[in-house]
């Protein structure tokens, strides 16, 4: 009996040893250009209509991915289901009105509210604060000396010539939402930004989707207004302000004016889903590796489809092929020691929604998750890259954060098998693109899970355009990159210990 028990006791260790000795190249070879291409022409095909979150095209893509996971024999990853739903909301603007000192202004001709930021109801102000360009950045504060709590704030679009900043985009200090956010932090009840593109087409800016319907505090109202509205509000001072707006900062001032704002909208309750399937591990099956890619894209604009073949159809088909490779290894008796969860997430293009939902409602314990390997765009060549290794590289982000074991493991598997150039350009903390915070791995990293992100770069010609189509993909390079992630996943799933968590969690503050 003692001999039998001894043999049985050694059996799990023997399994682990056998798995580690198995040659992953045999299974990496099942990741083929032909299969990647077949899947991608479906995922990024016209039937999926660009896979915009919470649309019929996205639901079709989710159904296709669930079907593939089932065919491969993956187990359902979310408490018996292959899909994890999360709520999405969208506003429909029914009507809006604006009046200044008794004068009515017309929707789209003179003003336009942002339905997401503006709640239903009426606002009546007897005065407002003009805060120049509304810039708050380092040593500059256009609100200096002003009390705007509970007040309406009028600010100019853009920035004067004497203002310089490396930050770009809508959330930069000079961007619309960056300005709005600073006004909200100052306590503003309504924010009016003077824009130069009026009159606008009716319905020119359809209401955006969002996920945070319920919030501890309600947003301030946000309106774009024409210079005609600004002149009615400010009066005779407006001609001087508008003439000098591009050259210098405008002085802040409190003005008297009777301002009425009205908004009526209807909230639509929608839904989107992540798609999850897993290969069960052996002796460490209660520990997990999570491999992700986002399958959503931008959908349609009128009849024009934004196909999203590289972004992120390439990563999506990559995880399907990796799932197949691990499923075949398991069927041959060489399955992973740890369980591997393959997850195609939705809502990335809207603001990392699907992965954020998962991070707050994980299907498997985050403390038992050894790492997240995230893939977002691996099928093309960076148009800004001019070096000789252009057809044999991948950008790697995050492998020097959270765990000191990540980079040695990643580079070791690449050196042993793939022999690609691992480029750390976008991993630089000073890189203005801030890639580390811009894809789904971040919602694992913010919870302390070690991450590696794989990326092909800035595709200026086709990024977020209808021309990001399957025929533009370099399938040989896509295969090599997917195989690199597979080899890295193989080692992570079979090593003796989970990845260390011995580095501080980076934050989004500069």
């Amino acid at each position: 009996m003692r001999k039998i028990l001894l043999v049985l006791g050694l059996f799990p260790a023997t399994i682990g040893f056998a798995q580690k000795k198995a040659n992953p190249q045999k299974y990496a070879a099942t990741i083929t250009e032909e299969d990647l291409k077949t899947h991608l022409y479906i995922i990024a095909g016209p039937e999926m209509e660009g896979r915009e979150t919470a649309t019929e095209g996205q639901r079709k893509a989710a159904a296709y991915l669930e079907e593939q996971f089932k065919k491969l024999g993956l187990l359902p990853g979310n408490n018996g289901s292959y899909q994890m739903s999360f709520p999405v909301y969208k506003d429909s603007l029914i009507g809006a009105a604006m009046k200044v000192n008794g004068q009515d202004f017309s929707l789209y001709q003179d003003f336009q509210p942002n339905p997401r930021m503006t709640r239903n109801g009426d606002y009546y102000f007897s005065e407002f604060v003009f805060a120049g360009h509304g810039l708050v950045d380092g040593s500059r504060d256009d609100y200096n000396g002003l009390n705007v709590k509970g007040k309406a704030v009028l600010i100019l679009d853009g920035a004067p010539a004497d203002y310089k900043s490396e930050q770009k985009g809508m959330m930069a200090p000079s961007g619309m939402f960056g300005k709005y956010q600073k006004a909200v932090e100052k306590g503003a009840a309504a924010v009016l930004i003077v824009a130069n593109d009026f009159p606008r087409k009716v319905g020119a800016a359809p209401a955006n989707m969002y996920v945070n319907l319920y919030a501890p505090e309600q947003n301030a109202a946000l309106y774009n207004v024409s210079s005609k509205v600004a002149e009615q509000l400010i009066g005779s001072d407006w001609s001087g302000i508008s003439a000098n707006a591009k050259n210098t900062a405008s002085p802040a001032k409190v003005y008297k004016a009777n301002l009425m704002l009205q908004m009526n909208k209807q909230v639509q309750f929608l839904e989107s889903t992540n798609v999850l399937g897993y290969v069960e591990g052996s002796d460490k099956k209660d520990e997990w590796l999570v491999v992700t890619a986002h399958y959503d894209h931008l959908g349609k604009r009128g009849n024009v489809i934004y196909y999203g073949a590289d972004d992120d159809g390439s990563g999506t088909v990559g995880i399907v092929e990796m799932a197949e490779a691990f499923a075949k290894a398991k069927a041959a008796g060489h399955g992973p020691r740890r369980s591997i969860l393959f997850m195609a997430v939705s809502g990335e293009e809207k603001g990392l929604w699907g992965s954020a939902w998962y991070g707050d409602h994980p299907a498997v314990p985050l403390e038992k998750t050894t790492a997240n390997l995230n893939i977002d765009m691996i099928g093309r060549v960076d148009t800004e890259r001019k070096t000789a290794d252009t057809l044999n590289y991948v950008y790697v982000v995050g492998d020097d954060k959270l765990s000191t074991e990540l980079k040695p493991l990643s580079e070791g598997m690449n050196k042993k098998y793939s022999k690609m150039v691992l480029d750390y350009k976008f991993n630089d903390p000073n890189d203005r693109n801030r890639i580390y915070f811009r894809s789904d791995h971040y919602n694992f990293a913010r919870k302390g899970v070690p991450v590696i992100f794989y990326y092909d770069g800035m595709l200026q010609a086709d990024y977020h355009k209808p021309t990001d189509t399957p025929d533009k993909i370099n399938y040989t390079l896509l295969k090599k990159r997917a195989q690199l992630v597979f080899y890295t996943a193989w080692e992570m799933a079979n090593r003796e210990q989970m990845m260390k968590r011995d580095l501080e969690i980076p934050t989004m503050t500069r």
Side-chain angles (χ1 to χ4, degrees), residues 2 30 33 83 123 208 275 358 369 452 494:
R2 290 178 64 189
T30 67
E33 295 174 36
Q83 299 201 35
Y123 297 79
N208 290 326
V275 185
Y358 181 91
T369 301
I452 302 179
N494 288 308

Side-chain angles (χ1 to χ4, degrees), residues 289-292 341 343 345 354-356 358-359 362 364 366 369 371-374 402 436 439-451 501 505:
L289 171 66
V290 181
V291 183
T292 54
L341 179 68
M343 179 167 64
V345 300
S355 58
Y358 181 91
V364 301
L366 293 175
T369 301
N372 166 237
L373 301 179
N374 183 46
L402 298 169
Y436 180 76
S439 191
D440 294 299
H441 57 276
Y442 177 68
N443 283 313
F444 289 86
R446 69 183 175 91
K447 297 288 187 176
V449 177
V451 301
R501 303 185 182 189
I505 299 174

Side-chain angles (χ1 to χ4, degrees), residues 97-100 104 122-125 258-262:
M98 176 179 288
K99 185 180 290 189
V100 180
D104 290 312
D122 303 345
Y123 297 79
Y124 298 91
F125 299 97
N258 288 333
L259 170 64
M260 182 208 73
L261 305 171
Q262 291 181 339

Side-chain angles (χ1 to χ4, degrees), residues 254-480:
V254 178
Y255 288 87
K256 297 291 185 180
N258 288 333
L259 170 64
M260 182 208 73
L261 305 171
Q262 291 181 339
M263 236 271 290
N264 184 16
K265 67 180 182 180
Q266 183 179 43
V267 179
Q268 300 178 53
F269 291 78
L270 308 174
E271 182 181 82
S272 190
T273 61
N274 301 326
V275 185
L276 307 81
Y278 73 96
V279 175
E280 188 175 41
S282 55
D283 60 313
K284 295 181 179 291
K285 66 180 181 181
D286 293 330
E287 296 176 1
W288 296 81
L289 171 66
V290 181
V291 183
T292 54
H294 76 88
Y295 72 99
D296 67 295
H297 194 57
L298 303 182
K300 297 171 63 177
R301 302 294 182 268
N303 293 322
V304 178
I305 298 175
Y306 288 67
Y307 293 95
D310 193 39
D311 186 13
D312 182 31
S314 60
T316 300
V317 300
I319 67 168
V320 171
E321 281 293 281
M322 280 185 271
E324 180 180 20
F326 275 105
K328 287 182 175 180
K330 183 175 177 64
H334 298 137
R337 300 178 71 186
R338 290 178 179 84
S339 298
I340 305 179
L341 179 68
F342 296 92
M343 179 167 64
V345 300
S346 181
E348 191 273 351
E349 300 288 3
K350 303 291 187 181
L352 314 186
W353 291 351
S355 58
W357 181 266
Y358 181 91
D360 294 332
H361 308 83
V364 301
L366 293 175
E367 65 273 14
K368 289 289 188 180
T369 301
T370 186
N372 166 237
L373 301 179
N374 183 46
I375 315 166
D376 190 350
M377 300 169 58
I378 58 167
R380 298 282 297 274
V381 171
D382 187 349
T383 52
E384 296 180 353
R385 189 181 182 86
K386 306 299 181 184
T387 57
D389 56 30
T390 296
L391 296 180
N392 192 44
Y393 81 97
V394 66
Y395 292 117
V396 176
V397 178
D399 70 344
D400 62 345
K401 301 169 178 64
L402 298 169
S403 174
T404 56
E405 294 181 332
L406 280 174
K407 190 164 189 166
L409 186 152
S410 171
E411 292 187 340
M413 297 307 288
N414 178 59
K415 183 178 180 180
K416 185 174 183 179
Y417 295 111
S418 299
K419 298 177 175 57
M420 298 190 75
V421 174
L422 305 185
D423 193 318
Y424 299 102
K425 170 184 176 181
F426 293 105
N427 196 48
D428 185 344
N430 296 316
D431 179 63
R432 65 181 182 138
N433 294 287
R434 308 284 279 164
I435 296 296
Y436 180 76
F437 302 100
R438 286 176 50 186
S439 191
D440 294 299
H441 57 276
Y442 177 68
N443 283 313
F444 289 86
R446 69 183 175 91
K447 297 288 187 176
V449 177
V451 301
I452 302 179
F453 173 45
Y454 302 88
Y455 174 58
D456 60 19
M458 310 303 287
L459 310 174
Q460 302 297 343
D462 299 309
Y463 177 68
H464 281 190
K465 295 179 181 177
T467 49
D468 181 10
T469 49
D471 58 295
K472 306 275 185 67
I473 298 297
N474 183 323
Y475 289 94
T476 301
L477 192 52
L478 172 56
K479 178 189 72 173
K480 291 188 69 173

Side-chain angles (χ1 to χ4, degrees), residues 125-143:
F125 299 97
S126 62
E127 65 179 29
F128 69 94
V129 177
F130 174 63
H133 285 87
L135 296 168
V136 180
D137 185 13
S139 61
R140 177 172 182 149
D141 186 349
D142 288 357
Y143 294 88

